[in-house]
Amino acid sequence: MGQGLWRIARNQQLQHQGYSGQGYLTREQGRRIPANNVSNTSHRKQAQGGIDIYHLLKTRKSKEQEGFINLEMLPPELSFTILSYLNATDLCLASCVWQDLANDELLWQGLCKSTWGHCSIYNKNPPLGFSFRKLYMQLDEGSLTFNANPDEGVNYFMSKGILDDSPKEIAKFIFCTRTLNWKKLRIYLDERRDVLDDLVTLHNFRNQFLPNALREFFRHIHAPEERGEYLETLITKFSHRFCACNPDLMRELGLSPDAVYVLCYSLILLSIDLTSPHVKNKMSKREFIRNTRRAAQNISEDFVGHLYDNIYLIGHVAA
């Protein structure tokens, strides 16, 4: 960009001094150049200095005159690739122009699986008259229903044959879906502990640092806003799952599910302390190590110090 500005300034300077394609001209010779020659010379030099901009504007103008590219004139593979970047609304609009292309089942199948990663119906033989476009509308309707009333939403999915009446299938659906309201989902999981159990087992915390694993856990299963029995249940289930995923690490550090439970609670309290604007006197690293090792004496000081550094640098584990 700096070189481009330099060229423009240099061209203007040379034009002012009477520079032409053959070299420098004296002021006397410069005055003899007819007005049209000066205009042509100026235009030619500007074109030399800004040739990219000139051609860009010319090309853009010609494209505007030509209109949009007709996707039906392109190879089908290229047309489908272009349409695959559209969302459902834009794909419906595109179907008004390119009906055969935009209504292709592969496009709608990709939209369904990119938004709802797991449904029981994906693994079944499709019934007569099945359409992924219709399935997308049903999944969208069911998600909106779930966000208003979770029980009614799950019943809707089951009535349409989208989900099987199984805690494991419901858990997989929740784990692979990001369109569900987390507040409604929290209420549903608090009531359906069988679904919660299967949802926890879907997490793989192998070789993950404890605070990072806890963040991933709370991204899928949101923590309650207040302490209580449900939060204790979540931390307990997480602790057992973390230990099950990292048996070698647990033996090396001498940690048990109860010790991990204490560490998780300490990390949550530390997160609140360090991130809350209402807490003026923040907990120091020395205080955190001392308080944590009181509750779990077998934990090494270095390991607890690394936990503090992680929260201090990265932030809340349940944000």
Side-chain angles (χ1 to χ4, degrees):
M1 182 176 179
Q3 294 179 353
L5 294 175
W6 179 86
R7 292 193 187 97
I8 294 174
R10 182 60 176 163
N11 289 336
Q12 292 176 350
Q13 180 182 3
L14 294 177
Q15 291 167 15
H16 179 72
Q17 294 176 355
Y19 181 79
S20 69
Q22 282 72 28
Y24 290 98
L25 299 177
T26 63
R27 293 185 182 273
E28 297 292 335
Q29 293 171 331
R31 293 193 189 99
R32 297 195 195 101
I33 298 177
N36 59 344
N37 289 344
V38 173
S39 176
N40 292 337
T41 303
S42 175
H43 176 75
R44 185 169 59 252
K45 301 316 295 179
Q46 289 177 2
Q48 290 177 0
I51 187 70
D52 294 338
I53 299 177
Y54 173 76
H55 282 290
L56 179 63
L57 294 176
K58 185 177 180 181
T59 304
R60 181 178 179 183
K61 184 177 180 180
S62 63
K63 290 296 182 182
E64 291 176 352
Q65 293 174 351
E66 294 175 3
F68 292 104
I69 298 174
N70 187 358
L71 296 182
E72 294 179 347
M73 304 298 293
L74 299 176
E77 296 82 0
L78 182 57
S79 300
F80 289 140
T81 301
I82 295 172
L83 292 174
S84 66
Y85 288 95
L86 302 180
N87 56 31
T89 302
D90 293 337
L91 195 57
C92 288
L93 294 175
S95 66
C96 298
V97 181
W98 303 289
Q99 185 173 1
D100 293 337
L101 289 173
N103 287 332
D104 189 87
E105 281 291 279
L106 287 177
L107 292 175
W108 287 98
Q109 180 181 0
L111 278 176
C112 289
K113 293 188 176 182
S114 63
T115 308
W116 299 275
H118 176 83
C119 294
S120 303
I121 198 172
Y122 293 160
N123 302 320
K124 298 179 180 179
N125 293 326
L128 186 65
F130 174 80
S131 167
F132 274 102
R133 179 172 181 173
K134 181 180 178 182
L135 176 62
Y136 184 96
M137 304 305 173
Q138 293 175 340
L139 286 168
D140 188 57
E141 178 68 22
S143 297
L144 293 174
T145 305
F146 184 96
N147 293 337
N149 188 310
D151 291 326
E152 291 184 4
V154 173
N155 291 334
Y156 175 87
F157 288 130
M158 293 179 181
S159 66
K160 299 298 182 181
I162 298 173
L163 274 182
D164 292 341
D165 189 4
S166 165
K168 184 175 292 186
E169 286 296 302
I170 299 174
K172 289 181 179 179
F173 175 79
I174 293 173
F175 185 78
C176 300
T177 303
R178 299 293 178 266
T179 60
L180 304 180
N181 182 275
W182 63 271
K183 292 183 178 179
K184 298 295 183 179
L185 182 58
R186 186 175 62 193
I187 296 173
Y188 180 78
L189 293 175
D190 191 13
E191 296 174 351
R192 292 291 305 269
R193 297 298 176 90
D194 54 343
V195 176
L196 177 61
D197 290 338
D198 287 315
L199 185 58
V200 171
T201 58
L202 293 175
H203 291 81
N204 184 9
F205 302 124
R206 183 171 178 78
N207 296 329
Q208 291 192 30
F209 194 37
L210 181 60
N212 298 332
L214 197 57
R215 288 189 185 93
E216 180 183 338
F217 180 75
F218 283 133
R219 273 197 295 268
H220 288 93
I221 307 174
H222 291 270
E225 298 175 356
E226 299 178 355
R227 302 181 196 176
E229 187 269 339
Y230 182 57
L231 178 60
E232 295 177 359
T233 300
L234 290 182
I235 298 177
T236 300
K237 293 182 181 298
F238 168 81
S239 301
H240 284 84
R241 181 59 182 170
F242 185 82
C243 292
C245 293
N246 299 280
D248 297 335
L249 179 64
M250 296 301 101
R251 284 193 298 268
E252 179 183 346
L253 298 176
L255 297 178
S256 64
D258 292 337
V260 175
Y261 178 92
V262 172
L263 290 176
C264 290
Y265 241 114
S266 299
L267 290 172
I268 293 174
L269 296 177
L270 177 64
S271 299
I272 296 173
D273 185 272
L274 294 182
T275 60
S276 176
H278 304 291
V279 180
K280 295 182 178 180
N281 298 321
K282 305 297 184 181
M283 184 183 301
S284 67
K285 186 175 183 178
R286 186 183 299 275
E287 291 173 335
F288 177 74
I289 294 174
R290 183 178 64 248
N291 296 337
T292 303
R293 295 195 69 196
R294 264 184 211 163
Q297 298 178 358
N298 294 331
I299 303 174
S300 68
E301 183 174 332
D302 290 338
F303 182 74
V304 180
H306 290 319
L307 296 177
Y308 182 94
D309 294 338
N310 183 278
I311 303 300
Y312 184 83
L313 295 173
I314 299 180
H316 207 303
V317 293

